[in-house]
Amino acid sequence: MKRHLLSAADLSRDDAELVLRTAEELRSLADRPIKKLPALRGRTVVNLFFEDSTRTRISFEAAAKRLSADVINFAAKGSSLSKGESLKDTALTLEAMGADAIVVRHAASGAPHRLATAGWTGSSVINAGDGTHEHPTQALLDAFTMWRHLGALDGRRVAIVGDVLHSRVARSNALLLRTLGAEVTLVAPPTLLPVGVDGWNVETSYDVDSVLPKADVVMMLRVQGERMNASYFPTVREYSRRYGLDARRMAQLQDHTIVMHPGPMVRGMEITADVADSSRSVIVEQVTNGVAVRMAVLYLLLGGSEPAGTTERDAA
Amino acid sequence: MSTDRTLIRGARPLGGDAADVLLRGGVIAEVRAGLDAEGATVVDADGLVLLPGLVDLHTHLREPGREDAETVETGTRAAALGGFTAVHAMANTDPVADTAGVVEQVWRLGQSAGHCDVRPVGAVTIGLAGQQLAELGAMADSAAAVRVFSDDGRCVSDAVLMRRALEYVKAFDGVVAQHAQEPRLTEGAQMNEGELSGRLGLRGWPAVAEEAIIARDCLLTAHVGSRLHVCHVSTAGSVEIIRWAKSKGWNVTAEVTPHHLLLTDDLAATYDPLYKVNPPLRTHADVEAVRAGLADGTIDVVATDHAPHPHEDKDCEWAAAAFGMLGLETALSVVQHTMVDAGLLTWADVADRMSRTPARIGRVSEHGRPIAAGEPANLVLYDPSASRVVEPGESASLSRNNPYTGLELPGRVVHTFLRGTPTVHEGKPA
Ligand SMILES: [Zn+2]
């Protein structure tokens, strides 16, 4: 594994499979009485969030704590535009605190990349979502969830439906799923597919109904209603009608097909409540898997000295 | 050293046969082989190429307002070190150069610095706001004698306003230099729109946003019979449109920057804001097209768009960083590398693209002249056989946002003369 996790493209197939196997090993821990492992004792993990995301922060925090790391939560104010707190000054502060890993969420695409390469810090940097670029641990937890339900992903068909243009989840998933051998189809109105998507080595479609019957996984992306103000689509109603996942569309799916959503959902926009709460939906499980996958990432990047599965008692 | 009489010994005017050139009283007194020194200061220029002093149509000197990034004094020193004897100072200062008072101030700062002539560019609209014409006539009539008008940094996107500006400057032989960027198509744009912008998650800056404005402005300038200059052409489509406009006989000129002749958008994958510039770095195909356009004369001139920024404005994440890169001290080297060494331009062509034609477009009468007796002694001696690794700390600019950092570039400016007086001697400020 590389020293940083900035993009899903940083992961070779071997790396990705190692993360998934490690996550599987760690996930079993959730069922044990002792939930804490000593693997990262004495190491410091900083959650550096320039953008609010309670769910992602809590997931990383839980992951680090279960590995016995010291956790510092740092909620920085100021977006890239307001020039509030500078990324550089914050990085220098964290460096002085001796952070071993910095988990960073930022509204600016490439901010984690800058943090890792500008010479401001020697810590490992984990991208917890940057602008409209990537969210690699989300892709890992999605792949982990698929893998638990479907086994090996080679040849599996994954439909990713929604606002691909603005989605860091879609970018990371497209990269990682291809690495793992899955077939990916991005489904969106043409306005919400990035220019140059032809070069992504994935299929694209404007027609969700032609894609759903063949899919093994349907991943719905969050779509912000405000996008209609920038003319990405005419109205919320038209978007939902053409691209939303409702019970009628769900009925076209194969029996084994699972429905995913990275959250937070806009119920009634891209997904209806009955679909989100149906037995096909693995949305809640994605959250549980998120902790295991992030434990695996932290463990592997920080090179924990103990085997991942060793409990307190075993180690003593 | 006496500056009254200088004998340049053995230089190659426009890269041709070696000759001696005698400078006296600020003008070229004589050009021929075997001149006698007769007590003049002798400059040994054996093997050096002699060009008319370079003229930049597009320089950001940042004064008044951003003296932390550059001043007229530091910017013009950098210009002289790059072989320039005249620069056009862009209007996007603070206050904006939109009145006779501000352009005269900049002009006087240039005179007192003395490194090269400073020709202020006047803003087209008050405060660059794109609402109301600035007093173009007052700036033209001022001591600064402004002939180039531009809202550079912003596009005069309102078609009526652009039409009026083009019409109005005809009264004093002015030219409108347009920063062609359709604002709605580039809201929040960060880099060239293409496969890479999609992958990097950086908002794309489509070529059409530049090309649509250029096409419109060519049509407008033809309609009103005026003069249009297109700033920093960056796309293959723009070159085609300008080629078409010229084929119609319309009075359109265009410039390309050194960085658009050399660098490509894949540098954005580093997320290093050193490579963030407006217009953005484009694709390899675009680079090929602007080189071809410069070679065949579709693009008339090279202009630096030298855009200094203080360290903190580049030492941050991409989206928060300022647009722009330095260019004065590396321009001639980049042109040698991309055009001369590639066989696309001769040194005589370089003199045309970097001195004669920019002087003609800017109506700068004392620059861009032939190397002949009686002409003003604005000259540069350049060693094309030298090479160097670009070291941003060595710049005379106050800023360090040099996109060629660490690159090996050919050539070295050895001497620059402004009206016979050396401004650069042996590669150092005189
Ligand atoms: Zn410009």
Side-chain angles (χ1 to χ4, degrees):
Chain A
M1 296 255 294
K2 295 188 178 176
R3 208 161 66 81
H4 308 290
L5 180 57
L6 307 175
S7 161
D10 291 339
L11 299 166
S12 67
R13 182 165 182 145
D14 283 350
D15 291 338
E17 288 177 347
L18 178 62
V19 173
L20 301 186
R21 280 198 311 274
T22 307
E24 180 63 40
E25 207 177 321
L26 292 165
R27 195 184 188 274
S28 59
L29 203 71
D31 310 323
R32 292 206 226 166
I34 304 162
K35 290 193 178 180
K36 246 181 155 181
L37 298 174
L40 297 183
R41 182 173 293 153
R43 316 296 287 274
T44 301
V45 174
V46 176
N47 287 319
L48 175 57
F49 277 57
F50 284 83
E51 206 181 48
D52 266 353
S53 175
T54 310
R55 45 194 298 139
T56 304
R57 192 200 25 89
I58 288 175
S59 179
F60 270 106
E61 186 174 355
K65 284 185 169 163
R66 283 187 199 175
L67 293 168
S68 305
D70 297 320
V71 178
I72 300 172
N73 288 317
F74 198 114
K77 280 277 171 234
S79 68
S80 55
L81 296 176
S82 76
K83 288 214 174 184
E85 205 139 1
S86 105
L87 181 61
K88 180 188 179 181
D89 289 339
T90 311
L92 296 177
T93 305
L94 299 179
E95 179 70 0
M97 289 167 138
D100 295 292
I102 301 177
V103 175
V104 61
R105 161 74 68 115
H106 202 290
S109 298
H113 200 282
R114 271 306 264 166
L115 197 56
T117 58
W120 304 328
T121 169
S123 312
S124 280
V125 176
I126 299 170
N127 181 358
D130 62 329
T132 55
H133 178 223
E134 285 211 41
H135 195 355
T137 61
Q138 177 71 43
L140 282 165
L141 80 86
D142 290 337
F144 183 60
T145 306
M146 293 177 211
W147 188 61
R148 286 175 58 87
H149 281 267
L150 304 169
L153 299 184
D154 292 280
R156 291 294 193 176
R157 293 198 169 102
V158 181
I160 301 177
V161 185
D163 185 357
V164 175
L165 179 64
H166 299 97
S167 175
R168 48 197 173 207
V169 176
R171 280 170 181 72
S172 287
N173 262 296
L175 288 165
L176 183 68
L177 290 169
R178 294 296 294 141
T179 299
L180 291 170
E183 307 289 328
V184 176
T185 306
L186 302 175
V187 187
T191 45
L192 291 175
L193 285 173
V195 165
V197 73
D198 311 347
W200 289 21
N201 197 19
V202 296
E203 300 288 313
T204 57
S205 172
Y206 308 140
D207 176 17
V208 70
D209 290 307
S210 67
V211 174
L212 291 181
K214 290 173 279 180
D216 299 298
V217 177
V218 179
M219 184 184 298
M220 302 305 294
L221 300 173
R222 175 184 167 81
V223 179
Q224 292 174 299
E226 306 85 77
R227 299 285 181 215
M228 79 179 201
N229 299 328
S231 302
Y232 287 106
F233 46 83
T235 61
V236 168
R237 190 173 56 184
E238 172 153 326
Y239 181 86
S240 298
R241 200 179 288 145
R242 290 178 66 85
Y243 294 97
L245 188 60
D246 57 11
R248 179 185 64 80
R249 286 206 166 103
M250 190 166 67
Q252 301 177 59
L253 299 177
Q254 302 174 71
D255 290 343
H256 66 272
T257 301
I258 57 173
V259 172
M260 307 180 75
H261 193 298
M265 282 180 279
V266 189
R267 288 174 192 248
M269 177 78 181
E270 69 265 9
I271 193 163
T272 56
D274 51 343
V275 175
D277 300 332
S278 73
S279 59
R280 292 178 179 281
S281 164
V282 296
I283 296 168
V284 175
E285 193 188 329
Q286 286 174 269
V287 178
T288 315
N289 291 342
V291 177
V293 159
R294 286 168 179 134
M295 285 174 80
V297 167
L298 285 168
Y299 175 77
L300 293 168
L301 282 188
L302 293 183
S305 52
E306 312 281 341
T310 314
T311 62
E312 289 274 23
R313 190 166 344 132
D314 298 338
Chain B
M1 157 160 87
S2 162
T3 55
D4 181 46
R5 276 154 38 87
T6 303
L7 181 69
I8 300 169
R9 176 89 75 196
R12 299 189 290 130
L14 308 184
D17 294 336
D20 298 342
V21 179
L22 181 66
L23 316 182
R24 187 171 57 214
V27 298
I28 298 170
E30 219 179 335
V31 182
R32 70 178 164 81
L35 279 175
D36 202 322
E38 285 175 9
T41 306
V42 175
V43 172
D44 176 18
D46 193 30
L48 304 186
V49 171
L50 180 63
L51 300 173
L54 308 182
V55 177
D56 193 9
L57 267 178
H58 195 145
T59 315
H60 296 276
L61 293 178
R62 301 292 187 224
E63 190 178 2
R66 285 309 299 267
E67 291 83 355
D68 57 329
E70 197 78 286
T71 63
V72 172
E73 154 42 54
T74 59
T76 54
R77 186 138 40 97
L81 286 165
F84 291 88
T85 52
V87 298
H88 288 75
M90 271 301 172
N92 61 341
T93 49
D94 182 15
V96 171
D98 58 1
T99 62
V102 178
V103 295
E104 286 188 351
Q105 181 199 353
V106 172
W107 178 69
R108 290 211 176 85
L109 286 168
Q111 281 205 312
S112 64
H115 303 300
C116 70
D117 288 346
V118 174
R119 294 293 310 258
V121 173
V124 175
T125 66
I126 295 172
L128 309 176
Q131 300 289 322
Q132 195 182 344
L133 284 186
E135 289 190 349
L136 309 181
M139 290 188 273
D141 295 341
S142 75
V146 174
R147 290 295 176 272
V148 182
F149 297 89
S150 181
D151 276 0
D152 184 60
R154 307 229 188 125
C155 180
V156 182
S157 61
D158 182 308
V160 173
L161 203 54
M162 187 61 183
R163 174 200 169 139
R164 297 291 180 237
L166 285 165
E167 285 178 309
Y168 195 78
V169 299
K170 293 199 302 182
F172 32 85
D173 195 23
V175 61
V176 179
Q178 174 72 295
H179 172 114
Q181 179 190 351
E182 210 292 315
R184 289 277 288 147
L185 282 171
T186 51
E187 276 171 19
Q190 297 291 324
M191 68 169 292
N192 180 50
E193 184 165 83
E195 197 211 323
L196 190 60
S197 62
R199 276 201 285 130
L200 295 178
L202 291 173
R203 183 78 67 90
W205 192 306
V208 61
E210 174 173 316
E211 294 156 4
I213 292 291
I214 294 175
R216 181 202 73 177
D217 288 352
C218 287
L219 294 165
L220 280 174
T221 209
H223 183 61
V224 302
S226 186
R227 276 211 294 150
L228 171 72
H229 178 71
V230 183
C231 294
H232 39 55
V233 166
S234 71
T235 76
S238 298
V239 176
E240 260 185 77
I241 291 163
I242 293 163
R243 192 174 281 130
W244 167 78
K246 286 189 163 185
S247 76
K248 301 282 217 180
W250 299 344
N251 207 339
V252 174
T253 57
E255 72 190 29
V256 63
T257 69
H259 47 273
H260 289 111
L261 286 171
L262 181 59
L263 307 176
T264 50
D265 62 347
D266 49 326
L267 289 164
T270 62
Y271 287 109
D272 186 340
L274 202 49
Y275 306 111
K276 181 175 174 179
V277 66
N278 175 353
L281 300 176
R282 304 287 190 181
T283 67
H284 188 70
D286 293 307
V287 167
E288 291 294 317
V290 294
R291 286 183 187 181
L294 183 64
D296 72 16
T298 300
I299 296 175
D300 303 79
V301 305
V302 175
T304 67
D305 197 5
H306 177 83
H309 289 290
H311 186 61
E312 61 272 20
D313 286 356
K314 288 290 192 180
D315 198 26
C316 54
E317 60 275 20
W318 182 282
F323 289 99
M325 31 183 74
L326 299 185
L328 285 169
E329 288 163 275
T330 43
L332 195 46
S333 289
V334 172
V335 170
Q336 181 190 343
H337 176 60
T338 58
M339 303 299 296
V340 180
D341 292 352
L344 294 169
L345 290 183
T346 64
W347 287 110
D349 296 331
V350 171
D352 176 74
R353 307 299 197 276
M354 297 186 77
S355 179
R356 191 180 79 87
T357 303
R360 183 173 52 75
I361 293 167
R363 300 296 191 248
V364 189
S365 55
E366 298 296 292
H367 292 267
R369 304 292 305 165
I371 299 173
E375 296 290 350
N378 298 318
L379 297 165
V380 55
L381 282 162
Y382 180 76
D383 179 4
S385 68
S387 83
R388 63 184 153 148
V389 174
V390 176
E391 177 51 65
E394 289 171 358
S395 174
S397 169
L398 284 182
S399 293
R400 295 289 176 264
N401 51 312
N402 189 322
Y404 312 107
T405 298
L407 277 187
E408 186 172 344
L409 289 177
R412 171 172 172 259
V413 171
V414 186
H415 300 277
T416 309
F417 297 92
L418 178 64
R419 283 179 287 278
T421 303
T423 54
V424 173
H425 179 74
E426 297 291 353
K428 300 270 185 295

